Amino acid sequence: MFNRDASNSATIGWNQLSGDQPILYFDTVYPKDMQFNQQGQVSSKNHAKGMHNHFVRLTRLQPNTRYYFMIKDSEGFSRVCYFSTVANTADTRLSFIAGGDSRDRSEIRQKANLLVSKLKAHAVLFNGDFTGLDLEKQWLEWMTDWEMSIASDGRITPLVVTRGNHEITNKVVVDLFDVPHKKVFYNTTFGGDLLNLVSLNSEIHKKGRQKLFLRNTLNKHDHFYWQIAQYHRPVRPHVASKKEMQTQYRHFVPLFEKHKNLKLCLENDSHTCKVTWPIVQSKGAASEEGFVRDDEKGIVYAGEGCWGAPLRSADDNKCWTRDSEAINQFNWIFISKDKIEVRTVKYENVDQVGQLSEPSRFEMPENIDLWNPSNGNLIEIYPTSNSSKR
């Protein structure tokens, strides 16, 4: 998991099935004869959801560096895996996969997980509803399926997670993903001052401490090139049976709109697919459901699932909806100083999709199935013209 600064820290978690006294060994070069130069002691452990969860929080890592690791215990060694930290400069370029709502259709979410292994993104932004009923059996199945996101050479794509409404408590997200705040709202930075990613919790009060955190982190990172918010429930869902999130409209959106470098919000929950034109809050005659299109100052809202949960019809479009459709998909996002690019990937043909490498992660792999609605398959988001970073 990337829970703080993706340039210099990461958390490694595992389920200790058997054996005693586990120690994590890691190094920046592939180990010969299982010899590593560094070791990390277990920082935290628990028995949540029928698993013996262990976490090692690594700090003072080198930016833009591959780290190989394994776990040694009284019974022997695990396989060697690796992850890569992110460069500590805004001159880098970032790749993210963003989505959520995997629930319990294992055969569908496995396809999305396998595509994660092929695209080699810097991180997966997973926005809640991992399982259907938050049961031990379902979580064990989810974790087993997630192993399909590990590439054949052992590469792991780190997670940045939020809580969904099917996670019954905040505690389960803390226990299974070691998020740094017990109420599951926090921020993660990428690429020096390139991106501040704000992870919010749709399932608790939007005002009070969460709103104070949101205000403070947006202000603190106002000099960054970009800020992005991710949270589970959409402010204005595109499925008619889902309720409008008035508390987020009142408490989150005004803070989003105060910051010219926040131009994208990632939402889930509805089990469909949508992307909006850039929009701002408005009660004017041209507005609908409290928003109006504004290509200069507006924020793009994208997502609404679906990583395998049962699909729902996109039957609640607005005048500012760019495109929508009920499809299994996740967002594929590239970020540089100059712009954000958002594409939507349909993953059910995953077996035909070619493999990327970390150096080629911004290329289009063979047979990638991009969603191509009437307004095109690429959304480009540019800084506001009077932004201090322009």
Side-chain angles (χ1 to χ4, degrees), residues 50-234:
M51 293 174 277
H52 194 192
N53 304 297
H54 288 63
F55 299 98
V56 174
R57 300 173 192 136
L58 301 177
T59 59
R60 297 194 292 266
L61 301 177
Q62 301 174 34
N64 195 28
T65 300
R66 181 178 293 187
Y67 280 91
Y68 297 92
F69 68 91
M70 70 169 188
I71 293 101
K72 179 182 180 299
D73 62 18
S74 60
E75 296 182 353
F77 302 91
S78 73
R79 68 180 290 194
V80 176
C81 293
Y82 72 91
F83 70 96
S84 295
T85 55
V86 177
N88 192 28
T89 170
D91 291 323
T92 191
R93 194 180 182 197
L94 300 173
S95 171
F96 293 114
I97 291 168
D101 295 282
S102 52
R103 299 274 289 272
D104 301 305
R105 294 170 70 203
S106 179
E107 72 284 359
I108 302 297
R109 71 178 178 217
Q110 285 179 7
K111 296 178 180 180
N113 295 351
L114 182 57
L115 192 53
V116 168
S117 76
K118 294 186 173 187
L119 295 185
K120 306 298 190 294
H122 286 98
V124 171
L125 317 181
F126 201 94
N127 285 311
D129 278 11
F130 298 81
T131 72
L133 297 173
D134 205 6
L135 301 174
E136 287 186 7
K137 177 179 181 291
Q138 294 174 340
W139 275 108
L140 286 165
E141 291 171 349
W142 192 93
M143 293 293 181
T144 299
D145 286 349
W146 188 248
E147 292 183 21
M148 297 188 70
S149 72
I150 303 175
S152 57
D153 66 351
R155 184 188 185 273
I156 292 181
T157 306
L159 282 158
V160 187
V161 305
T162 67
R163 178 188 167 191
N165 57 295
H166 283 259
E167 284 74 68
I168 304 303
T169 63
N170 295 321
K171 190 175 184 295
V172 68
V173 186
V174 175
D175 285 345
L176 297 183
F177 300 101
D178 201 46
V179 299
H181 193 284
K182 65 181 181 179
K183 293 295 183 68
V184 196
F185 51 81
Y186 61 104
N187 73 294
T188 312
T189 57
F190 293 84
D193 62 354
L194 180 58
L195 173 67
N196 179 44
L197 175 68
V198 184
S199 300
L200 299 171
N201 190 343
S202 295
E203 305 312 304
I204 63 172
H205 289 302
K206 314 309 181 296
K207 56 184 179 179
R209 292 184 178 180
Q210 180 166 211
K211 187 175 182 179
L212 179 62
F213 156 76
L214 177 59
R215 179 185 293 114
N216 288 344
T217 193
L218 293 178
N219 287 339
K220 180 179 178 180
H221 299 92
D222 198 45
H223 65 287
F224 274 43
Y225 284 88
W226 300 104
Q227 300 195 75
I228 292 175
Q230 65 166 355
Y231 47 88
H232 184 64
R233 295 188 193 245

Side-chain angles (χ1 to χ4, degrees), residues 233-271:
R233 295 188 193 245
V235 176
R236 294 291 185 256
H238 280 58
V239 170
S241 61
K242 304 295 289 187
K243 69 177 182 179
E244 313 299 332
M245 290 301 290
Q246 289 298 106
T247 55
Q248 291 175 188
Y249 181 84
R250 290 197 302 269
H251 297 294
F252 287 176
V253 177
L255 293 177
F256 296 161
E257 292 184 359
K258 285 184 178 180
H259 296 271
K260 297 182 177 65
N261 60 350
L262 197 157
K263 308 284 280 186
L264 176 64
C265 288
L266 302 172
E267 307 178 318
N268 279 259
D269 183 56
S270 300
H271 308 180

